[in-house]
Amino acid sequence: MTLSDTAVQATGGVVEKAFTILEGWDHRGETLGVSELSRRTGLPKSTSHRLLGILEAAGVVERLAGTYRLGDRIRGISGVLSAGIPAYLREVSLPFLQDLYELTHETIHLGVLDGVDIHCVEKIYGHRRAPVCSRVGGLLPAHSTALGKVLLAYSPMATQRAILTSELATYTPATIVQPLRLAAELRTVRQQGLAYDRGETHPEVKCVAAPLVNAKGRAIAAISISGPAGRFQPEAVVERLRRAARAASVVLASKRASVA
């Protein structure tokens, strides 16, 4: 074996381990520490730390308060990563979204956390759709939407601190932008397993959301039901939403296990 062959082989080993590290993330907005990445991937902590340094220098991952998340550069490489979702999320969730629409005839969203925003993965609506400016592939603010609040509530503290210390936009008089109030809201959301948007993003829209969790209890996405504030009562659809979210979570967990 020549020196160049040896170098290529060594480089290939590093690349393979780097991809192993990247597979440790469940979704784009997730922040993970070195210990958790080491546990998920089976790589030694020292190796994980060294590879994260290389990936950070290349812009593939970003460091945030002692944890790491996928960086901007990786988002342009893979369609799955740029969407911030497991490849099977939409496929598994769509039947449950359709069931919710048939039961409520209100606007249904599926979203994932993308930094301080929500990436809209799917939207189902009819003639009575809520007057909310959302589209599949578009972004919504996390701090003022039900989808965003429920996913933030289930996120690591580093992710919550990032949004609580950022400058939050005010969309309506009801938008919560005070850090202490928002932190208290997220604690309540985590306790209840539900988040509400009572005219916080659009003054004429109410919304309720529930998380989709994987086998380890981590929220990887959320489902919401929205409607015009004048007639839509979120409390009336809560149980239907909970049932759909639980059922979708069970299928997602089994799907994740089958592709792991």
Side-chain angles (χ1 to χ4, degrees):
M1 182 179 291
T2 66
L3 180 60
S4 60
D5 289 335
T6 303
V8 168
Q9 187 177 60
T11 301
V14 172
V15 171
E16 182 177 353
K17 290 177 181 177
F19 273 100
T20 299
I21 282 285
L22 294 175
E23 289 171 350
W25 275 271
D26 280 337
H27 60 84
R28 176 173 163 180
E30 189 174 29
T31 58
L32 300 171
V34 176
S35 296
E36 177 62 13
L37 278 168
S38 176
R39 186 187 68 78
R40 290 189 185 186
T41 61
L43 294 173
K45 285 181 64 176
S46 58
T47 302
S48 299
H49 189 271
R50 177 170 58 85
L51 289 170
L52 285 167
I54 295 172
L55 293 171
E56 182 187 5
V60 177
V61 301
E62 300 171 355
R63 184 160 48 182
L64 179 67
T67 61
Y68 294 84
R69 67 183 179 188
L70 296 175
D72 287 334
R73 192 171 183 182
I74 194 66
R75 296 167 191 172
I77 297 173
S78 165
V80 171
L81 289 175
S82 66
I85 58 173
Y88 49 82
L89 175 61
R90 182 182 177 277
E91 175 189 350
V92 168
S93 304
L94 191 56
F96 299 99
L97 305 181
Q98 292 170 332
D99 287 346
L100 273 179
Y101 175 75
E102 290 302 323
L103 288 168
T104 65
H105 292 286
E106 302 291 357
T107 302
I108 311 297
H109 286 96
L110 171 69
V112 297
L113 191 63
D114 181 2
V116 297
D117 296 306
I118 287 295
H119 180 105
C120 182
V121 178
E122 186 57 87
K123 177 180 180 181
I124 299 177
Y125 59 90
H127 296 291
R128 300 197 307 168
R129 61 179 170 178
V132 59
C133 296
S134 61
R135 61 178 177 82
V136 174
L139 298 177
L140 297 167
H143 70 283
S144 64
T145 57
L147 285 170
K149 286 192 287 184
V150 81
L151 288 174
L152 285 172
Y154 280 78
S155 294
M157 288 307 300
T159 303
Q160 294 188 25
R161 282 195 298 270
I163 196 164
L164 290 171
T165 56
S166 62
E167 186 174 350
L168 301 176
T170 299
Y171 298 100
T172 75
T175 307
I176 302 174
V177 295
Q178 301 84 359
L180 291 179
R181 281 190 61 201
L182 183 56
E185 174 87 350
L186 295 181
R187 287 195 295 271
T188 300
V189 169
R190 183 62 186 258
Q191 291 168 0
Q192 296 180 347
L194 293 169
Y196 294 89
D197 171 1
R198 303 183 189 277
E200 296 165 46
T201 307
H202 190 294
E204 298 176 8
V205 175
K206 290 181 180 180
C207 183
V208 60
L212 302 184
V213 298
N214 62 15
K216 297 179 180 178
R218 292 193 300 270
I220 60 172
I223 298 175
S224 72
I225 307 175
S226 305
R231 63 167 173 75
F232 178 60
Q233 297 300 321
E235 292 78 7
V237 299
V238 161
E239 288 310 312
R240 293 171 178 173
L241 176 63
R242 284 189 189 275
R243 285 196 295 271
R246 283 196 295 264
S249 295
V250 170
V251 179
L252 281 170
S254 63
K255 185 73 172 181
R256 168 72 176 180
S258 69
V259 299

